[in-house]
Amino acid sequence: MLASQRRAAILSIVEEHGAARVSELVDQLGVSDMTVRRDIERLDGDGLLERVHGGAVAITPRATDEPGFTAKSTLMTAEKQAIALEAARLVQPGATIGISAGTTTYELARAVRDVPQLTVVTNSVPVAQLLHESQSAAHVVVLTGGVRTPSDALVGPVAVTALAGLHVDRLFLGAHGIDRAAGLTTPNLVEAETNRALVRSARSVCVLADRSKIGIVGLSTFMDLSEVDTLITDSGIPARARQVLVESVEHLVLAEPGRTRQVGDAG
């Protein structure tokens, strides 16, 4: 198990149970006491859990919490890569696509960098940089401009104005949280406004989100679930949440390393 996968497993266990002892994590993960303690220290430093004597406790997410790009990129990496590979199947040579900011959408950019003749509209600094540095395909990359957030998104009036005159075939969109009632949310009010502008620019919207985003509610809603054309998540999603998504979005796809499957169409 890679270090990033191990830390993701620790975080998942702590969040599911509210707390976990070091000894319990050692038994479940089959690693040393010192390894678990180092991982807890790293996760505590990233603000993802709280280290306490003998273990760790979960941090109740607040509606305005906004983890940074680096912290998020170490979590659920296998799931994000599988989701990105499935999404990449929807991208044809010569397409015009939008890619929002986020760590899962960054994995999509990595997966499509060899697809030739793409025009990519993005408000993500890392996505733009990755595609700009790709030498294997001729890409046109349109970076919106705007004010940079902790998640490396460019947001605000400059970004919204830039997007107002642009049109993409399909938008690949990330989300901080997904909830049946609240829809797709973000903790950043200005990023929510920019995400709405991205959605307005697209003929079709594909949401990329691993299971850790389900049930999380950020400060501001930028899209209802009923507006989502395709949602790609990982196969570890709980059955009840899976059923909610089947009923709410047009197409739901579950992804896992080496295998993907269509779950069904809503309605």
Side-chain angles (χ1 to χ4, degrees), residues 159-227:
V160 171
T161 300
L163 290 165
L166 299 176
H167 307 280
V168 299
D169 300 320
R170 179 177 276 115
L171 169 66
F172 294 93
L173 185 64
H176 171 79
I178 297 176
D179 179 80
R180 183 175 209 166
L184 278 63
T185 62
T186 172
N188 188 310
L189 283 171
V190 186
E191 185 166 10
E193 180 186 17
T194 304
N195 282 346
R196 292 186 199 109
L198 280 164
V199 170
R200 288 194 296 269
S201 75
R203 293 191 181 94
S204 176
V205 178
C206 179
V207 174
L208 312 183
D210 65 72
R211 66 182 182 274
S212 69
K213 308 296 181 64
I214 309 300
I216 300 298
V217 178
L219 177 63
S220 180
T221 296
F222 58 85
M223 190 177 192
D224 293 332
L225 273 175
S226 61
E227 299 176 276

Side-chain angles (χ1 to χ4, degrees), residues 37-193:
R37 292 183 185 276
R38 283 199 300 265
D39 286 340
I40 288 175
E41 183 177 1
R42 169 69 178 272
L43 291 166
D44 178 83
D46 289 340
L48 298 171
L49 53 69
E50 182 179 353
R51 181 178 55 173
V52 296
H53 180 70
V57 297
I59 297 175
T60 302
R62 297 171 296 183
T64 55
D65 285 343
E66 186 176 6
F69 182 89
T70 300
K72 291 188 293 184
S73 65
T74 64
L75 302 173
M76 307 290 284
T77 52
E79 289 83 356
K80 290 174 180 177
Q81 289 165 5
I83 290 168
L85 287 174
E86 175 62 19
R89 295 185 179 189
L90 302 176
V91 180
Q92 300 298 320
T96 298
I97 63 173
I99 302 180
S100 78
T103 52
T104 310
T105 48
Y106 179 81
E107 290 299 330
L108 170 65
R110 194 197 304 274
V112 302
R113 60 184 168 180
D114 291 334
V115 178
Q117 304 298 321
L118 290 182
T119 297
V120 180
V121 175
T122 186
N123 69 323
S124 167
V125 175
V127 165
Q129 187 66 26
L130 176 71
L131 294 176
H132 174 73
E133 292 174 351
S134 175
Q135 300 299 315
S136 56
H139 297 136
V140 175
V141 180
V142 180
L143 186 60
T144 63
V147 177
R148 195 168 183 170
T149 72
S151 60
D152 279 348
L154 296 178
V155 302
V158 172
V160 171
T161 300
L163 290 165
L166 299 176
H167 307 280
V168 299
D169 300 320
R170 179 177 276 115
L171 169 66
F172 294 93
L173 185 64
H176 171 79
I178 297 176
D179 179 80
R180 183 175 209 166
L184 278 63
T185 62
T186 172
N188 188 310
L189 283 171
V190 186
E191 185 166 10
E193 180 186 17

